Amino acid sequence: MKGFTKRLFFNRSLFRKQLLSYLITVLIPISMIVSVYAYTINEDLTSQIEQTSTASIQRTAKNLDNLIDQINYFALQLSFLPDMNNMLKNPVAFTLYDYYKLKEQLRSQINSNNLFYSVYIYSALNERFMTSNEGLFDADTFYDSQVLTQIRKEDRPHFWYQVREDYVTFYKDIPVTESMPLGTLVINMQKKMFLNTMYNLNIGDEERIFVVDKSGSVISSHPQVENEMIRQMITNGDAVSSSGTLQKIVLDGTKYFAHIASMKGDGWTLVNLIPYASYKAKLFEKLSKVLTIVLFVFLIGLAIAYAFAVKMYNPWKKMIEVLSGVGGGKSSSDEYMLVSGAINSMMATIKQNEPVMKDHLISDILRNKVSDKETISARLQQAGLQFTEPYYAVIVAVFDDLQSEDAEDPQRNLLIYSMVLETLKAYLPVEGTILDRSKLGFIVNLPQKGMDAGIRQRIHQTYAEMNAVGQEELNVSLQFIVSDADAPERLHLAYEQIRRMLNYKAVINRNDIVFVQDHKSELKFVYPLSLQKQLIHAVATMNREKANQCIGELFDQYIYKSKYPLEKLQGMIVVLMSSVLNELLKEGYDIGSLNEDVDIFKLNECQNNDELYQFMITHIHRIIAFLETLQDKQVTNLYVAKTIAYMEEHYANPLSITEIAERIGVSSGHLSRTFKAEIGKSMLEYLTEFRIKKSKELLSARSDSLQEIGLAVGYHDVQSFIRFFKKYEGMTPGEYRKSI
């Protein structure tokens, strides 16, 4: 097994490098993803801890605020007791019995509020303490000296507190309704009750909330050792960097997240300690899952990298075996030498095949298969092409065999290419390639951008010479498509423009030069709507001569001499032919049988505008022949025959469908449907065409006015006569009379 491993990995230097490169390609994104994910997990956990701690501190702070509110409310209640005010304002007149009653009122207040352990009322005028439990004391004999000391302090606030050994004592000047307080309300609350009030929430084991007063005294349900550590931390400011944020601290060798929040106004500070170990446990749990997935992905990546390395090394292995002449016993140090020698031999072979390389290089440039466009000029120079000018143009020659049997000669393409290239080289610095069966591509090196008149003249001269040779000696006609001169990096774009123009070669002359720049015309394209109407009418009336005339005018005006873009011209032909068929559909003809004979999109197979002209003539004649077949169909319906006879006999009179139906003896609706199904047009259309036909006979035979002729064929309004005549004939009656 060890021997196999050694042969597989360590005796193949190329294989090792390839495997390592693929493995690094896998490891880099995996490492980046793991780092980002670990950072995200850490931030999420920290954010969750901070949010939970903030909620706990906010609840504790709210409970503390509620406690202070209750003390203020209690002080306000006492301030409204008449006996309390009398005692504070006039203590001399206050008897022992009065003190007894006031004490009982105070006891009833305390008994109704189980938060307070005991209450003192200090009277400033006679320095006496009245307690809720023990009774009345003079200041000198009062047993709670700490309270007396606090009250006698100068510059004390109206409300303050004091954390003592067993109690939290609150001081409040009373009565609160007076501007000058006459006494002090002292409330003692047991620390346990205070903490129960603060911790009126579910605190988990992972949370430790400490309440610290402004003097640094700590109140909590935790051991005194921890309280002392918190006091020292707050007093010394060791861990308090900014209130309201999580900070890492170490207390007694244990790491915590400390969340410290100061309450505004009252001087309390709340400290929440979250054990860092709980954070680490959650982080480890999540990262373990991530690392498990990463390990799985890494193993898959390793397998893929190994498979790729094997696949990529196999060609090298075979090449080295061929070059070395043995079955694979060469050491890794010989691999590069073998391949280097093969490359040198290959370069010598390449030099011998430079003509073929030129051909392929030009083909690749035109077809956009050169990735680094900036090196095109250098690569042309390396291929032996002496192009010294900075700009390049593309010429594509398309040839069409005049005799179909010549197209089968396999040597003709090479012969035509040689003739075109040699003729071009006599006038221009050029090199080319055979693009396909009937298309040649050439790169021309020019000194300036664009295509000036001098270069155009030389191209025309070259084209005239080679086209004459092509027609006389090779039986081919040539078309030239020429791009503008531009930077070498844009050669593929120039060829793409030409290639798109060749999609519209049906509208290009058989023997012509097309400059791409000439077909970027900004002239507004005017669709030949008048010619379309005339063509549709000629087809509808089955007038082949008129249809041929319309197509001829269309080609003279738009195709043969036009500077419109080729795509607009070809699109115009498609729309025109589609309009003819659409008109037949609107007239109710079933043209399904025409689909095989009339395929508009076969015009893309036309090689030049001569073939396009013949294509249109052929298809229009097929449509007319289709209509003639329908017209020759025997009218089998007796009602239709009677209708036609009646309309042709009374065409000079005003006629309506209802009147005709009454004469025939059938309903107007049934007669209309039957007539349209049999004749292919409505009764009014048939009557109108018949009237127009008669009017043409009168226009040819008489010199009567248009109004008289209109009356003679059933139109009592000369404008209606003129309008219908123009609609069906494409010209007015007056114009028709002049044309005959």
Side-chain angles (χ1 to χ4, degrees), residues 254-426:
T254 304
K255 188 182 290 187
Y256 296 93
F257 279 118
H259 193 180
I260 304 171
S262 298
M263 295 182 62
K264 296 181 180 179
D266 296 329
W268 297 97
T269 299
L270 302 179
V271 180
N272 187 17
L273 296 184
I274 302 98
Y276 190 76
S278 63
Y279 158 79
K280 285 179 62 178
K282 293 178 181 178
L283 182 63
F284 179 77
E285 179 185 355
K286 290 182 177 292
L287 288 180
S288 298
K289 294 179 180 178
V290 174
L291 291 176
T292 302
I293 296 173
V294 168
L295 179 60
F296 179 71
V297 173
F298 172 75
L299 293 176
I300 294 176
L302 179 62
I304 294 174
Y306 180 80
F308 268 103
V310 170
K311 184 177 180 62
M312 298 303 294
Y313 182 73
N314 281 338
W316 282 86
K317 176 184 175 183
K318 292 178 182 178
M319 181 170 61
I320 291 167
E321 289 176 354
V322 171
L323 293 175
S324 62
V326 296
K330 284 286 181 180
S331 64
S332 60
S333 60
D334 294 331
E335 293 175 345
Y336 292 104
M337 295 181 61
L338 286 171
V339 175
S340 177
I343 290 175
N344 291 334
S345 175
M346 189 185 306
M347 293 300 296
T349 305
I350 288 173
K351 289 185 182 234
Q352 297 175 0
N353 292 276
E354 278 188 354
V356 177
M357 291 181 61
K358 289 179 186 178
D359 181 271
H360 284 290
L361 176 60
I362 292 172
S363 177
D364 289 344
I365 291 173
L366 295 180
R367 289 172 170 153
N368 195 23
K369 294 182 179 179
V370 177
S371 58
D372 190 357
K373 305 286 189 302
E374 303 297 329
T375 63
I376 287 179
S377 294
R379 294 183 65 175
L380 289 171
Q381 294 287 341
Q382 292 170 2
L385 301 177
Q386 300 304 313
F387 288 163
T388 59
E389 304 297 346
Y391 297 103
Y392 294 83
V394 177
I395 297 177
V396 172
V398 181
F399 58 89
D400 182 20
D401 290 297
L402 298 177
Q403 297 181 12
S404 57
E405 60 271 13
D406 292 333
E408 303 300 326
D409 186 354
Q411 299 298 323
R412 280 180 60 75
N413 286 13
L414 188 58
L415 185 61
I416 295 169
Y417 168 73
S418 178
M419 182 272 292
V420 174
L421 179 61
E422 292 304 318
T423 308
L424 281 171
K425 281 187 173 181

Side-chain angles (χ1 to χ4, degrees), residues 8-9 12-19 306 309-310 313:
L8 191 61
F9 288 95
R12 298 181 180 179
S13 59
L14 287 178
F15 179 82
R16 283 202 313 273
K17 291 176 181 178
Q18 289 174 344
L19 178 59
Y306 180 80
V310 170
Y313 182 73

Side-chain angles (χ1 to χ4, degrees), residues 4 44 478 711:
F4 173 76
D44 288 345
L478 291 171
L711 284 171

Side-chain angles (χ1 to χ4, degrees), residues 657-658 661-662 666-673 683:
I657 295 176
T658 302
E662 289 177 354
V666 69
S667 69
S668 58
H670 178 71
L671 181 60
S672 296
R673 289 192 299 272
M683 294 168 59

Side-chain angles (χ1 to χ4, degrees), residues 27 50 93 104 114 124 223 243 255 299 303 313 346 371 429 494 496 511 619 645 648:
L27 284 175
E50 185 170 358
E104 291 304 314
N114 57 5
S243 178
K255 188 182 290 187
L299 293 176
Y313 182 73
M346 189 185 306
S371 58
E496 182 61 24
N511 300 304
H619 281 65
E648 291 182 354

Side-chain angles (χ1 to χ4, degrees), residues 460-597:
H460 275 287
Q461 187 175 355
T462 307
Y463 174 75
E465 182 178 326
M466 70 178 63
N467 202 37
V469 173
Q471 290 185 7
E472 292 177 7
E473 299 183 10
L474 300 175
N475 288 322
V476 294
S477 65
L478 291 171
Q479 291 174 333
F480 260 23
I481 316 293
V482 185
S483 76
D484 276 352
D486 208 333
E489 304 89 58
R490 299 181 62 83
L491 277 169
H492 68 286
L493 298 176
Y495 174 68
E496 182 61 24
Q497 280 185 316
I498 293 174
R499 195 184 63 79
R500 284 199 298 268
M501 292 189 72
L502 288 173
N503 291 332
Y504 310 106
K505 61 184 177 182
V507 293
I508 302 176
N509 291 337
R510 178 186 290 273
N511 300 304
D512 199 2
I513 299 178
V514 177
F515 290 91
V516 171
Q517 184 62 33
D518 295 345
H519 287 269
K520 295 179 181 177
S521 172
E522 296 182 359
L523 293 174
K524 183 178 179 181
F525 181 77
V526 180
Y527 184 79
L529 189 59
S530 176
L531 280 173
Q532 174 183 301
K533 290 180 179 179
Q534 294 181 39
L535 179 61
I536 290 174
H537 182 261
V539 171
T541 57
M542 291 162 285
N543 189 336
R544 282 185 170 81
E545 183 179 350
K546 180 64 175 178
N548 292 347
Q549 180 184 346
C550 291
I551 295 173
E553 290 181 14
L554 179 72
F555 272 69
D556 288 339
Q557 294 178 21
Y558 285 85
I559 304 298
Y560 293 140
K561 300 178 181 179
S562 175
K563 293 295 182 180
Y564 289 120
L566 302 180
E567 62 269 20
K568 289 188 179 292
L569 296 177
Q570 189 156 319
M572 174 193 69
I573 298 298
V574 173
V575 172
L576 187 64
M577 296 291 289
S578 300
S579 299
V580 173
L581 293 174
N582 188 54
E583 190 65 26
L584 296 180
L585 285 172
K586 287 167 59 178
E587 295 297 327
Y589 289 102
D590 181 7
I591 62 172
S593 59
L594 274 176
N595 289 337
E596 295 183 2
D597 295 333

